[in-house]
Amino acid sequence: MDQEQELGQDFSFASLGKFVAPSIFTFVFIAVYQMVDGLFIERFVGEMAISAINLYYPIISLFIAIGVMIGTGGNAVIVKKVGEGKRKEAGETFSRVISFTILCGIACTAICLVFADPVMRLCGATDGNIEFLRPYYLTLSTFCIAILLQSELGILIIGEGKTVVAAIVIMVGGVLNCVLDYVFMRNLNMGIRGAAIATVIGYCTTIAYAIWFYVIARKSSYHLELAKPDLKEIGFICFNGSSDMISNLAQGVTVLFMNHLAYRCYGEVGVSALTVVTYVQVLIMMVFMGFTSAVEPVFSYHYGSGNTEMRRKVYRLSIRWCLVLGAAIMLLLFFFRSQVIDVFFDPGTSFFDIASLGYLLSLPACLFVGVNIFGSGLFTAFSNGLVSGFLSFVRTFLILTACLYGLTAFFGGPGLWSAWPAAEFFSCLVTVFFLRKYRSRYQY
């Protein structure tokens, strides 16, 4: 099928599941190979070294947030134009999106390298772990453009209806990353810098495929066009994708807060344990981010074509899928809890005990996070960046920060781990309110 056939098909519960499955797999695979990254670092560098990943998380979250913002906001505009039959204009928007991303990458790299030490200290680096963070930080920050483009192009390719292709490309990049992790750290003894280089090379597979898809083979329904700068359109794209940016950025900021709170509650051991708990939280969220990224273009397409019946149908099916997936993930992770933690830390150690407690207390969030992520993404698909951004800000920063500091103040370490599910529950109440409020306007 071409893009319009893929997005315009008559979905059922089963066919929607089949449609979103490759996108979910893609996002989950990203989370899993990041976990493998941490596993290799723990095995070949040491248990304290794994903290470098979590300490750098706020920075890479910023990079990914910018890429996702431009990609999601741009994708909604591009797909809507395709739905309206304006393919040349869609290509012009695509060209502006790519150019703007490259400029953002250059600016981010310059800032991160010039202010390296202050930024690392801000992220929570201490004298005990900054030696592990420094090479990881410098390497990844140097290749900021690759991280931004990978985040953006993955979304645009999914927006083409190429969910299976996107999954394969990400999988290839992930496998390459894992293989190079072993080669660079085990065989070439490059330490944590080798892990960073392997990550960058893995990201570049998506970029390489995009060059072939859009430029060489010209498989897309729109193409790169010579386009004049349009700051108004770029501003709208950024605003429309701001919810996804806020979600990723706020997640990075809250991980920064969690690093400081984990250090306060458990010391440097707690920061390393937090890395594994963060992996699990990201894995859960990636399932629903993959789902939402796949259905967003469907809503954008039918919004552009004016098909209200299909919008209503896909909305109902999406809510059902969010609830089913949430319950299934919680049960699956609960039954395999020991096996997951045992991959990183030896049983009986303080690392293992702290990580196990955080893992278990995080699981109830599975029941609410799907509706929250989907709700925010739905408004992005309708180009309502204001509501989408508000929901993301409330969920990923305002409520979560309040829960983090409030529950930790009262309950210490257990409060730190309980903050995420508590925040997702309260955020779900807000999301449901807005979904009901705007139902008549967007006719879903």
Side-chain angles (χ1 to χ4, degrees):
M1 294 184 183
D2 63 19
Q3 182 184 18
E4 295 183 66
Q5 289 177 309
E6 285 275 7
L7 300 178
Q9 61 182 290
D10 185 8
F11 288 103
S12 63
F13 184 78
S15 64
L16 182 63
K18 182 179 179 181
F19 178 78
V20 302
S23 179
I24 292 175
F25 175 81
T26 301
F27 278 73
V28 169
F29 193 85
I30 293 172
V32 170
Y33 84 66
Q34 287 175 344
M35 294 173 70
V36 173
D37 233 20
L39 177 62
F40 278 116
I41 290 173
E42 189 272 335
R43 288 288 184 262
F44 297 133
V45 185
E47 291 175 328
M48 290 301 299
I50 197 175
S51 64
I53 295 178
N54 220 49
L55 291 169
Y56 190 73
Y57 190 84
I59 307 302
I60 200 169
S61 291
L62 172 62
F63 298 159
I64 293 173
I66 295 172
V68 168
M69 173 189 70
I70 302 171
T72 304
N75 190 51
V77 173
I78 291 168
V79 173
K80 185 173 183 291
K81 288 181 178 180
V82 171
E84 295 169 343
K86 302 175 181 177
R87 299 195 179 196
K88 186 176 187 300
E89 292 183 20
E92 291 174 350
T93 300
F94 176 64
S95 301
R96 295 187 189 104
V97 161
I98 297 298
S99 301
F100 182 64
T101 304
I102 293 173
L103 291 175
C104 288
I106 294 172
C108 288
T109 294
I111 293 170
C112 286
L113 295 183
V114 171
F115 300 101
D117 279 1
V119 171
M120 285 189 285
R121 291 294 183 180
L122 179 64
C123 290
T126 64
D127 292 336
N129 53 36
I130 195 170
E131 63 176 300
F132 299 111
L133 175 60
R134 188 182 301 280
Y136 195 76
Y137 171 97
L138 293 176
T139 303
L140 285 176
S141 297
T142 300
F143 294 97
C144 173
I145 292 177
I147 299 173
L148 264 65
L149 285 174
Q150 191 268 354
S151 304
E152 172 189 296
L153 291 169
I155 294 171
L156 293 176
I157 292 169
I158 290 174
E160 295 279 344
K162 306 296 182 181
T163 53
V164 174
V165 173
I168 293 173
V169 172
I170 294 294
M171 183 176 67
V172 170
V175 171
L176 182 62
N177 181 14
C178 295
V179 171
L180 293 178
D181 271 338
Y182 184 85
V183 172
F184 291 160
M185 284 191 280
R186 175 67 175 83
N187 294 344
L188 301 181
N189 199 29
M190 294 175 66
I192 201 166
R193 179 177 280 107
I197 295 173
T199 298
V200 171
I201 294 174
Y203 283 155
C204 287
T205 56
T206 300
I207 300 172
Y209 173 78
I211 292 172
W212 177 84
F213 182 80
Y214 287 108
V215 180
I216 299 175
R218 296 172 68 87
K219 294 284 187 178
S220 175
S221 57
Y222 54 87
H223 309 291
L224 284 169
E225 304 282 353
L226 186 62
K228 296 179 180 179
D230 189 339
L231 296 180
K232 183 178 179 180
E233 183 179 62
I234 290 296
F236 176 78
I237 286 171
C238 293
F239 179 75
N240 191 42
S242 61
S243 66
D244 298 87
M245 176 185 181
I246 291 170
S247 180
N248 283 274
L249 183 57
Q251 185 181 337
V253 173
T254 51
V255 168
L256 186 151
F257 294 159
M258 291 174 73
N259 284 336
H260 288 282
L261 290 171
Y263 183 78
R264 184 189 303 174
C265 294
Y266 302 106
E268 290 175 347
V269 173
V271 179
S272 292
L274 174 63
T275 303
V276 177
V277 178
T278 302
Y279 279 152
V280 176
Q281 293 177 353
V282 170
L283 177 65
I284 295 168
M285 288 188 289
M286 282 294 197
V287 172
F288 298 105
M289 289 176 67
F291 176 90
T292 302
S293 292
V295 298
E296 274 183 14
V298 177
F299 284 103
S300 294
Y301 178 80
H302 289 300
Y303 185 48
S305 65
N307 191 334
T308 58
E309 181 182 349
M310 189 54 63
R311 288 206 298 272
R312 293 191 184 101
K313 185 175 184 179
V314 177
Y315 173 80
R316 292 193 299 269
L317 294 174
S318 297
I319 294 294
R320 287 169 58 191
W321 267 114
C322 287
L323 297 175
V324 169
L325 284 172
I329 293 167
M330 185 176 72
L331 291 174
L332 184 66
L333 291 176
F334 175 78
F335 286 117
F336 290 95
R337 58 192 184 279
S338 296
Q339 289 84 347
V340 173
I341 304 299
D342 188 47
V343 169
F344 294 92
F345 302 124
D346 295 329
T349 63
S350 57
F351 291 96
F352 184 93
D353 294 338
I354 296 171
S356 296
L357 177 64
Y359 179 101
L360 282 173
L361 292 179
S362 296
L363 291 184
C366 297
L367 300 175
F368 313 108
V369 66
V371 174
N372 291 332
I373 292 175
F374 169 73
S376 178
L378 180 67
F379 289 106
T380 298
F382 293 141
S383 296
N384 191 333
L386 182 62
V387 173
S388 184
F390 175 77
L391 289 177
S392 290
F393 177 76
V394 168
R395 167 183 162 257
T396 58
F397 185 76
L398 193 63
I399 296 179
L400 180 54
T401 301
C403 289
L404 278 171
Y405 283 96
L407 293 177
T408 303
F410 281 102
F411 304 107
L416 170 65
W417 310 124
S418 301
W420 184 48
E424 292 293 347
F425 169 74
F426 290 117
S427 298
C428 190
L429 299 179
V430 178
T431 300
V432 170
F433 171 79
F434 275 90
L435 288 175
R436 290 180 177 273
K437 179 179 179 180
Y438 284 89
R439 177 175 292 177
S440 59
R441 176 186 295 188
Y442 296 113
Q443 299 181 8
Y444 56 81

